[in-house]
Amino acid sequence: MINLFSFYRIYKYLLLYIAALLYTGEVRSQDIPVDGQKFIFFPHPMTKNWTTSVGITATTMPHDITEEFQYRIPAGDFHVTKKMGNHFILDGRVNFQIFQNLITVGPHWVSKVSDRLSFSVGNDIGYWFGAVHSEGFKTKGKGWQNYPTVSLGYRFNRQALLTFKADAIMNLSIDTRAGETKLTSDVGLLSGSSYALILEQPFSGKTSMSIGFRAIYTNFFWQTWALFENFDRNYLYPQIIIGLIL
């Protein structure tokens, strides 16, 4: 089972690896342009028409939210980007679990700032939905979210691409029901934000790997809809992202 200590340890190793790249990457390795590498998070104009990634996200839930119901089920992660022009891409992503799912899609404007730096701004619309049927107790939920986002990327010599990504989390609608009874929520429009650090690098053969840490700070996280929390404060949801770029 994944716990907070495991997240901290993985994040620490990620930071140490990045520090090693900073120290040795510029000296010991051949400089390979971004156009010759595979990436899906890195905010750089695309050379291929499509890029696809498959992987998982694993999130630690705060004990105040889950209480005795401590479930930690990783979510599948299917991620696709489509080139829409020299500076525009369409980003689509599906996070899927047994009980809940999230679909996001949105346009992103990407630009190369220098030989090493690039950045993007964009906006993703998300739709989450789920259903739980347990011991005669039936619940279901759905809702719309909006994610304005900005990313900053840095390219290392060792075919490593580092991305810092920040999102605002906006709840457009929440509809949760126990049986046929609709439940109300007090969550506001702007419910929180998230901050991610993601490293992408060749893995095996023609595939590359992305591994990252995302800190989600919000008073409503879509994977906790079935717990009917009170939305009275923001909580931190640490998340690990792992994917294979095909």
Side-chain angles (χ1 to χ4, degrees), residues 59 61-62 65-66 71 97 100 128 176 218-229 231 237:
T59 310
M61 306 295 174
I65 298 297
T66 58
Y71 70 95
Q97 268 186 341
Q100 54 252 328
W128 62 267
T176 54
T218 180
N219 62 5
F220 176 73
F221 182 53
W222 65 275
Q223 289 187 17
T224 64
W225 70 269
L227 302 178
F228 305 116
E229 54 158 320
F231 311 114
Y237 298 83

Side-chain angles (χ1 to χ4, degrees), residues 40 52-56 203-204 207-210 242-246:
I40 199 162
T52 304
S53 170
V54 293
I56 62 170
F203 176 65
S204 177
T207 64
S208 292
M209 171 175 275
S210 58
I242 299 173
L244 289 178
I245 306 170
L246 306 178

Side-chain angles (χ1 to χ4, degrees), residues 5 31 39 47 53-54 58 66 88 121 141 175 182 238-239:
F5 176 75
D31 189 12
F39 57 89
T47 55
S53 170
V54 293
T66 58
F88 282 94
V121 292
D175 184 356
K182 184 175 181 178
Q239 184 180 83

Side-chain angles (χ1 to χ4, degrees), residues 115-131:
D115 189 50
R116 296 288 177 185
L117 291 172
S118 58
F119 88 104
S120 72
V121 292
N123 189 80
D124 296 322
I125 294 291
Y127 176 70
W128 62 267
F129 60 95

Side-chain angles (χ1 to χ4, degrees), residues 21-130:
L21 286 173
L22 284 169
Y23 182 71
T24 64
E26 304 297 330
V27 178
R28 299 183 180 180
S29 299
Q30 181 182 3
D31 189 12
I32 299 178
V34 178
D35 294 344
Q37 303 182 45
K38 285 187 175 183
F39 57 89
I40 199 162
F41 287 100
F42 194 70
H44 189 276
M46 294 178 62
T47 55
K48 300 194 303 179
N49 287 328
W50 294 89
T51 302
T52 304
S53 170
V54 293
I56 62 170
T57 61
T59 310
T60 290
M61 306 295 174
H63 185 268
D64 288 351
I65 298 297
T66 58
E67 295 179 348
E68 74 280 357
F69 188 58
Q70 284 287 328
Y71 70 95
R72 295 185 180 93
I73 304 174
D77 187 9
F78 180 69
H79 195 175
V80 176
T81 54
K82 172 71 171 69
K83 181 179 179 181
M84 303 299 291
N86 291 334
H87 291 281
F88 282 94
I89 66 171
L90 188 66
D91 189 290
R93 198 171 176 187
V94 180
N95 288 123
F96 53 94
Q97 268 186 341
I98 298 174
F99 304 113
Q100 54 252 328
N101 311 276
L102 172 67
I103 301 171
T104 62
V105 62
H108 293 235
W109 182 82
V110 293
S111 178
K112 179 180 177 181
V113 179
S114 69
D115 189 50
R116 296 288 177 185
L117 291 172
S118 58
F119 88 104
S120 72
V121 292
N123 189 80
D124 296 322
I125 294 291
Y127 176 70
W128 62 267
F129 60 95

